[in-house]
Amino acid sequence: MERLQKAIATSGYTSRRKAEELIVQGKVKVNGEVVNELGYKVKKGDIISIDGKVLENENKVYYLLYKPKGYISSVKDEMGRRCVVDLLKEVKERVYPVGRLDYDTTGVLFLSNDGEFTNLITHPSSHLEKVYEVTLDGLINGEELHQLEKGVYLEGAKTLPCKIRVTGKDMEHKTTILRIKLIEGKNRQVKKMFESIGFRVKRLHRLTVGGIGLKGLKPGEYRILKPQEVKDLRKLALEKKRVGRKNS
Ligand code: URA
């Protein structure tokens, strides 16, 4: 037995908070009857519908994809561009990306049909570590790196402290390769951080999320996340959430 709003969120339909709104608005039915009570408990086999649409009770699945360039992190695109879900050909469940990478960004991307997992991993208060490899147009100096590490203002809000390590410099072509470790995931954050101090990102690749990397995978390939990996990711996201709450 679980609470109705949790069952809706777990199905991936929407967040728990939005599910609560839908329930209060009388849009949710259980076995054909409107239920607008937030504490209502659903049992296995109950049929939940929202605005007349029945929620599917699929098995929860979790994948790790090596996202290649030229795909959008979505399930469909109005402009007809290729979507990451098109790469998971043998997966029959309706999975969707857990967070997003830009069209031209490569690397670690999780996909799942578990809405609660997605909310947990992508929630701003879950400070799950993400490591990116960045190729910059230009030679960056120590002072500029320090500025980024301390935090820069993007659209009025300061980025959280991060760690950067330069791994290579090409003096002839004037490019820098570096690794940046972030604990937040604002929209296009890496590119915007470098843009804010006058650098263009030429190439962006996500190496790890929560310590999970791409070992054994080629661009476009995917694998099932092991139950232990899913458990660890959940644990890390929850831990970081608690730490964040304590320090805020
Ligand atoms: N930061 C970006 O700028 N782009 C991405 O795809 C991911 C992080």
Side-chain angles (χ1 to χ4, degrees):
M1 299 248 281
E2 63 180 346
R3 286 159 79 89
L4 182 54
Q5 57 268 42
K6 179 160 189 269
I8 296 171
T10 308
S11 79
Y13 185 87
T14 187
S15 68
R16 199 185 298 203
R17 205 175 51 75
K18 294 245 170 63
E20 287 175 356
E21 286 170 18
L22 292 168
I23 295 169
V24 172
Q25 288 162 5
K27 294 189 171 164
V28 180
K29 286 185 181 171
V30 179
N31 302 325
E33 300 282 337
V34 173
V35 173
N36 46 21
E37 172 202 334
L38 289 177
Y40 189 89
K41 296 259 173 54
V42 283
K43 309 182 290 304
K44 224 177 164 184
D46 278 349
I47 296 171
I48 304 170
S49 61
I50 300 172
D51 279 335
K53 188 173 171 282
V54 174
L55 292 192
E56 282 175 39
N57 214 348
E58 286 179 332
N59 274 341
K60 299 293 169 253
V61 291
Y62 309 86
Y63 290 93
L64 161 64
L65 168 73
Y66 186 157
K67 181 193 173 292
K69 264 189 178 179
Y71 282 81
I72 64 157
S73 299
S74 184
V75 285
K76 78 168 194 271
D77 182 41
E78 264 100 63
M79 287 156 73
R81 289 172 299 181
R82 293 180 296 184
C83 301
V84 286
V85 291
D86 301 340
L87 292 161
L88 279 76
K89 291 189 188 75
E90 290 114 57
V91 174
K92 58 177 192 323
E93 290 85 2
R94 280 183 308 150
V95 293
Y96 45 86
V98 178
R100 53 186 303 254
L101 289 178
D102 295 337
Y103 186 68
D104 57 349
T105 301
T106 57
V108 172
L109 184 66
F110 301 138
L111 292 104
S112 175
N113 58 353
D114 182 344
E116 201 163 37
F117 175 78
T118 302
N119 290 337
L120 178 66
I121 301 297
T122 57
H123 196 276
S125 63
S126 130
H127 294 167
L128 207 58
E129 259 177 27
K130 295 158 198 107
V131 182
Y132 294 88
E133 186 170 73
V134 185
T135 307
L136 277 189
D137 194 4
L139 298 167
I140 197 162
N141 66 35
E143 204 180 302
E144 288 161 331
L145 290 173
H146 189 55
Q147 207 181 328
L148 289 173
E149 285 186 321
K150 279 193 308 183
V152 287
Y153 282 91
L154 300 180
E155 284 129 33
K158 198 172 181 186
T159 57
L160 291 174
C162 66
K163 292 207 177 91
I164 306 179
R165 183 163 62 86
V166 173
T167 55
K169 277 194 178 184
D170 182 339
M171 298 309 210
E172 197 190 325
H173 299 102
K174 299 211 167 22
T175 54
T176 310
I177 300 179
L178 52 85
R179 284 188 183 186
I180 179 166
K181 192 188 282 183
L182 298 183
I183 53 163
E184 58 186 338
K186 295 195 170 108
N187 188 28
R188 297 186 62 250
Q189 178 158 350
V190 176
K191 289 178 188 165
K192 284 184 185 164
M193 284 175 74
F194 286 99
E195 272 161 21
S196 78
I197 58 158
F199 286 89
R200 185 178 70 88
V201 170
K202 285 179 75 171
R203 177 183 167 269
L204 184 58
H205 176 71
R206 185 149 74 182
L207 290 163
T208 59
V209 175
I212 297 180
L214 294 160
K215 199 168 163 222
L217 294 178
K218 297 197 188 82
E221 290 183 348
Y222 62 93
R223 70 167 173 86
I224 293 173
L225 280 171
K226 298 184 192 112
Q228 189 61 45
E229 290 176 320
V230 175
K231 214 166 148 188
D232 290 346
L233 282 169
R234 275 210 177 95
K235 199 162 152 230
L236 276 173
L238 279 169
E239 261 169 29
K240 308 279 169 163
K241 246 177 152 162
R242 264 184 234 116
V243 172
R245 216 175 286 146
K246 228 190 287 165
N247 295 342
S248 61

